[in-house]
Amino acid sequence: MMPVDALARVVANAVQRADPFLAAAAYAAAGEQDRGRLEPILLASYRLKRQFAEAPFAPPEVLRRLAAEPDRKIRLKVARHPATPPEVLRQLAGEGACVETLEAVARHRNAPTEVLEGMPWREHPGVRDALCSNPRAPLALLRALAECAPLAALKGIANSPNADAGLLARLWESPDPYLRAQVAAHRNCPPAIMEAAERDPEPAVRRMLAANPAASMQTLLGLLGDEAAEVRAAAVQGASVPAEELSDLAADPSSQVRRTEARRAALPAAVVERLACDPDAWVRRWLGRNRCVQEPVLARLAADAELEVRRAVSRNPGCTPALLDRLAADPAAWVRAGVALRPDIPAGALARLSAEEDPDVASAIGRNPNTAREVLLRIAASGNADLRRAVILNRAAPREVLRTLMEDPYPLNRVMLTEHPALAGEDLEILTEDPDPHVRFAALRALIRRGRPERPAAAADDSSSTTNPE
Amino acid sequence: MKILVPVKQVAVLDEDFELRDDGLDADPDFIDHESNEWDDYSYETALQIMEAHSGVEVVPMTVGPEEAEESLRRCLAKGGERAVRVWDDALAGAGPATIAKLIAAVARREGADMVFAGTLSADHSFAMTGICVAAELAWPHVAVVTHLEYEPGAAKATVQRELEGGLVEKLTVDCPAVLTIQLGINQPRYASLRGVKQAKEKPVDELTPADLGVSGEDLAASACFRLRRMFKPAKGQAELIEGTAAEQAARLATIIKELKGAA
């Protein structure tokens, strides 16, 4: 919680400046009395109400207040807002709600179960279809909906985590292969249906069955021999497939199957060897990223003619320091940038890459937690907004560097800067004076989240930082 | 040497907008405003010429009410020392030819050597204001400019335009001229915070049509069309036909019968 005196100062500032964006940020933390002072600013015009009701950053407290507005369109926007809290949705779905609002609540992921159960779906097809797609709809409601929902909505029911074996068995009787495919993919799919799905003439059904995490090893082994490549590709991802069953697939005629196999964990050494020589570059690329691939193969892939394969190796956590050193001298900047992103980059490679001006490499160096302060300062002074943002995204960047970005010309960079833990409270206070309203909002919100402006984290702090005035 | 850059604050409609009672525009409650994207590019083009040569002045101008001054301040935050805003309440709803008459009057008053306008505005998309300015001034014009080679004071400018199929047309135009600038000709800059603060103090000359010697009769005569009505067209009656092939065929047959009046 923010100390009372600091909060009072924040509210007074928002009121004195009649700034709706500061008022919106302060409203979230303010008490009843202060909210009464902020509301005339926050709700000064219809346009402002509309803007806040649909703003992705709108705090739940502001949405709660807007839900009490008499205007139907404002309430509808609140009902559609993903951050609207459950009790507000309950209120919006109450007496007098229009059909569009009911539909929005019926579709909303935060809607309380009992509100969904009480929806007048029999009278309104739109509400019915929205409920079918809501993963919070309870089983009893899903069963009732399934009696009269159209095909497209039934697919939503088949996708619901609350659908049980009985309901899925009923849906399985549909002649529509895509509905049956959804049933076959469901974790609660009963074994009898899984067996039937394995023999289904539609490849889509067999593919979805192969992707079901609850599919048995026996089922997956059967599907590995399927005539359709997409089914084999889905089956090869199954965690329960034993490694020894994968050998033949490394020579599968379909590159889709081999690409999928190259991404699997715990590949046998012989399979890795075979896939490393695959003519398809995507297979080698996925293999290059695979954590189970060991040094000798990685070293070979690091010399691949395709730069994306070498880049994949540079991003592999199993890449050794010696290999990283080699890739740091790669002729392709994209590969060197892959090395530059790594927190475990060898010191020599970091020093060499820190001197580069290529935007991909400089951006990666800007994000690297080991990059020297003077290098970060240089990147932070770049004319390229993306490079400057890389420094902002570096959680280890010191306050001294970040302060140079407080006047970044690109407003989005300044918004992102407010989230950096090394920025001091007094810096955020300065940003609440920013000309861009979104920066002011984000800065005040960050300040309130911190509770009180305080010294930045010791690891990221610089020796010259000062304690905040509070 | 002076480059005049007309800019516009364009309307952005809310998805659930309503129309005004007179049916001639959207209800202002459902409109947000922002600077016209094309104007960012025309202003950047002018600024780059100003920065590359001494003795060049860039003047942004707009025809719009007080709220439109924000667009001018935004320009001044990037560069330029002063701006011009022309307005009279009688201009509300004025068409591009009327606006062009006022822009041309400002160009004469300022002694502008070139006018760089955006190719079109994002809200009304007439794409004719710049061309009408050229007609008013009796200057040559080139539309949809994607590349410009121009030395201040030169008698000609060389420009490129993109045509269908990626074809590029290169041509020269006598100066002074009006150019309408296309997106992508450059990378518009963001204003620095210092620039934003300084822009608040820069002068914006506020003029009326009368100040420019343009009478109400002149403006009325320049209107080349009259807005009759703005409306949302009725929604289509498309239907997604679902089910098995047999079910879909049955539904299709029913629809055909309905349309023929047999069902």
Side-chain angles (χ1 to χ4, degrees):
Chain A
M1 284 290 289
M2 201 170 200
V4 176
D5 56 340
L7 186 59
R9 194 155 50 87
V10 161
V11 171
N13 189 26
V15 171
Q16 191 238 324
R17 288 159 64 182
D19 184 333
F21 284 81
L22 284 182
Y27 193 84
E32 195 73 19
Q33 201 175 351
D34 282 336
R35 284 185 178 177
R37 295 171 64 202
L38 293 167
E39 281 177 12
I41 300 161
L42 195 60
L43 313 172
S45 68
Y46 184 85
R47 190 180 294 171
L48 273 175
K49 291 177 198 170
R50 177 173 59 72
Q51 285 175 342
F52 281 122
E54 61 191 1
F57 55 81
E61 294 78 6
V62 171
L63 294 170
R64 185 178 290 116
R65 171 61 188 84
L66 289 167
E69 283 293 307
D71 186 87
R72 184 183 67 86
K73 289 196 170 185
I74 299 292
R75 291 203 308 274
L76 178 57
K77 284 180 190 297
V78 176
R80 287 175 176 164
H81 198 293
T84 300
E87 71 279 10
V88 176
L89 293 168
R90 184 183 292 116
Q91 173 198 333
L92 287 165
E95 203 174 329
C98 66
V99 179
E100 291 98 326
T101 301
L102 289 174
E103 275 184 38
V105 175
R107 189 171 288 110
H108 206 291
R109 300 295 195 259
N110 293 345
T113 304
E114 75 277 7
V115 170
L116 297 179
E117 285 171 327
M119 287 264 165
W121 56 269
R122 291 183 197 279
E123 298 90 318
H124 304 296
V127 175
R128 177 198 64 203
D129 296 353
L131 285 171
C132 290
S133 67
N134 193 324
R136 290 178 68 110
L139 177 61
L141 178 59
L142 292 177
R143 282 190 180 136
L145 290 165
E147 294 295 332
C148 53
L151 181 61
L154 287 177
K155 287 172 189 164
I157 294 176
N159 206 24
S160 169
N162 298 327
D164 70 349
L167 179 55
L168 292 168
R170 239 172 62 205
L171 297 173
W172 175 255
E173 289 164 14
S174 167
D176 184 80
Y178 300 104
L179 178 55
R180 294 204 312 278
Q182 286 287 0
V183 173
H186 202 288
R187 275 182 176 273
N188 298 338
C189 184
I193 291 181
M194 286 207 189
E195 270 181 42
E198 200 177 336
R199 297 185 302 275
D200 197 282
E202 285 290 339
V205 176
R206 304 197 304 275
R207 175 174 57 81
M208 292 294 268
L209 172 67
N212 188 333
S216 68
M217 182 179 79
Q218 224 37 50
T219 302
L220 292 176
L221 289 177
L223 293 170
L224 281 177
D226 198 281
E227 60 185 19
E230 66 266 32
V231 178
R232 299 197 302 278
V236 82
Q237 292 179 67
S240 58
V241 175
E244 60 270 20
E245 299 294 334
L246 299 170
S247 304
D248 291 346
L249 292 166
D252 195 285
S254 164
S255 59
Q256 186 187 356
V257 176
R258 302 195 310 276
R259 286 176 190 181
T260 314
E261 189 178 17
R263 298 162 68 173
R264 256 194 72 109
L267 285 172
V271 171
V272 170
E273 281 293 339
R274 193 159 185 173
L275 292 173
C277 303
D278 199 285
D280 184 274
W282 277 94
V283 173
R284 304 196 305 280
R285 187 172 168 178
W286 281 116
L287 196 68
R289 272 306 273 267
N290 195 321
R291 285 165 183 255
C292 78
V293 179
Q294 300 296 313
E295 165 74 24
V297 177
L298 277 183
R300 230 183 310 143
L301 292 171
D304 199 284
E306 290 284 339
L307 79 89
E308 288 292 358
V309 177
R310 304 198 303 276
R311 161 85 183 191
V313 176
S314 77
R315 305 294 297 127
N316 190 318
C319 200
T320 61
L323 210 46
L324 286 175
D325 247 334
R326 201 171 101 196
L327 288 166
D330 194 279
W334 184 232
V335 179
R336 299 197 302 278
V339 179
L341 273 170
R342 297 182 64 115
D344 58 346
I345 181 173
L350 178 62
R352 286 197 306 279
L353 294 174
S354 292
E356 286 211 27
E357 293 194 356
D358 177 89
D360 287 330
V361 177
S363 168
I365 288 291
R367 291 186 68 161
N368 195 302
N370 303 313
T371 301
R373 181 177 309 193
E374 57 274 17
V375 176
L376 290 178
L377 278 169
R378 175 170 55 79
I379 297 171
S382 161
N384 182 328
D386 296 333
L387 294 188
R388 301 194 302 271
R389 188 161 57 253
V391 177
I392 292 168
L393 291 170
N394 186 337
R395 304 305 271 180
R399 179 183 175 214
E400 174 198 357
V401 175
L402 297 170
R403 280 180 63 89
T404 66
L405 291 160
M406 286 172 59
E407 298 212 346
D408 192 297
Y410 189 38
L412 177 64
N413 280 2
R414 304 200 300 278
V415 169
M416 296 179 82
L417 185 63
T418 63
E419 297 294 323
H420 202 290
L423 212 59
E426 62 196 87
D427 304 326
L428 288 171
E429 289 202 24
I430 291 169
L431 286 170
T432 63
E433 309 272 338
D434 195 280
D436 187 279
H438 296 96
V439 179
R440 296 198 299 274
F441 173 86
L444 185 54
R445 185 180 55 181
L447 209 50
I448 290 169
R449 275 185 188 157
R450 288 186 182 194
R452 71 160 65 224
E454 57 194 11
R455 270 181 75 82
D461 198 4
D462 68 280
S463 56
S464 63
S465 68
T466 55
T467 51
N468 74 71
E470 296 191 16
Chain B
M1 193 271 167
K2 193 178 284 186
I3 304 173
L4 184 71
V5 185
V7 300
K8 182 183 178 188
Q9 194 177 45
V10 294
V12 181
L13 275 185
D14 182 69
E15 59 176 335
D16 290 326
F17 69 91
E18 286 178 9
L19 290 170
R20 263 178 6 203
D21 289 342
D22 65 6
L24 293 178
D25 205 347
D27 185 324
D29 277 346
F30 296 90
I31 294 176
D32 295 323
H33 290 102
E34 63 183 28
S35 296
N36 184 37
E37 189 181 5
W38 277 263
D39 301 340
D40 283 342
Y41 290 85
S42 54
Y43 200 66
E44 180 67 31
T45 305
L47 288 181
Q48 287 182 6
I49 292 172
M50 182 182 82
E51 288 164 353
H53 304 88
S54 58
V56 177
E57 185 186 1
V58 174
V59 180
M61 70 151 295
T62 193
V63 179
E66 200 175 340
E67 302 89 81
E69 194 173 301
E70 196 182 320
S71 289
L72 294 175
R73 299 279 175 205
R74 203 165 161 264
C75 290
L76 292 173
K78 298 177 182 180
E81 293 305 318
R82 51 180 279 272
V84 178
R85 180 171 71 85
V86 181
W87 189 241
D88 185 292
D89 287 345
L91 288 168
T98 305
I99 301 294
K101 187 172 274 296
L102 296 166
I103 294 171
V106 173
R108 284 191 208 96
R109 179 187 162 108
E110 290 286 327
D113 298 282
M114 293 289 270
V115 175
F116 293 171
T119 290
L120 53 85
S121 63
D123 51 359
H124 287 115
S125 302
F126 286 121
M128 59 188 280
T129 307
I131 308 308
C132 290
V133 171
E136 285 287 338
L137 294 169
W139 286 5
H141 75 263
V142 182
V144 201
V145 172
T146 56
H147 181 77
L148 170 65
E149 293 165 31
Y150 172 65
E151 292 289 323
K156 288 183 189 300
T158 304
V159 302
Q160 289 182 15
R161 308 171 66 239
E162 267 181 18
L163 306 178
E164 284 294 310
L167 198 63
V168 174
E169 183 179 67
K170 184 174 183 177
L171 45 95
T172 56
V173 59
D174 291 339
C175 298
V178 178
L179 307 180
T180 64
I181 306 294
Q182 175 62 313
L183 304 178
I185 188 173
N186 49 43
Q187 187 172 358
R189 70 194 70 187
Y190 288 96
S192 67
L193 289 198
R194 179 177 296 178
V196 172
K197 286 171 194 158
Q198 288 173 344
K200 290 178 183 166
E201 309 302 323
K202 291 180 181 176
V204 175
D205 301 341
E206 294 175 7
L207 303 174
T208 63
D211 295 331
L212 294 165
V214 181
S215 67
E217 290 75 29
D218 291 337
L219 293 174
S222 67
C224 53
F225 53 74
R226 186 162 73 88
L227 176 64
R228 303 293 299 272
R229 183 181 164 220
M230 208 177 262
F231 63 99
K232 295 183 204 177
K235 281 187 180 171
Q237 296 182 339
E239 175 187 332
L240 179 64
I241 301 175
E242 295 179 330
T244 62
E247 288 166 347
Q248 290 180 34
R251 176 65 190 137
L252 197 56
T254 305
I255 292 170
I256 292 168
K257 283 178 188 167
E258 282 171 3
L259 290 174
K260 287 169 70 178

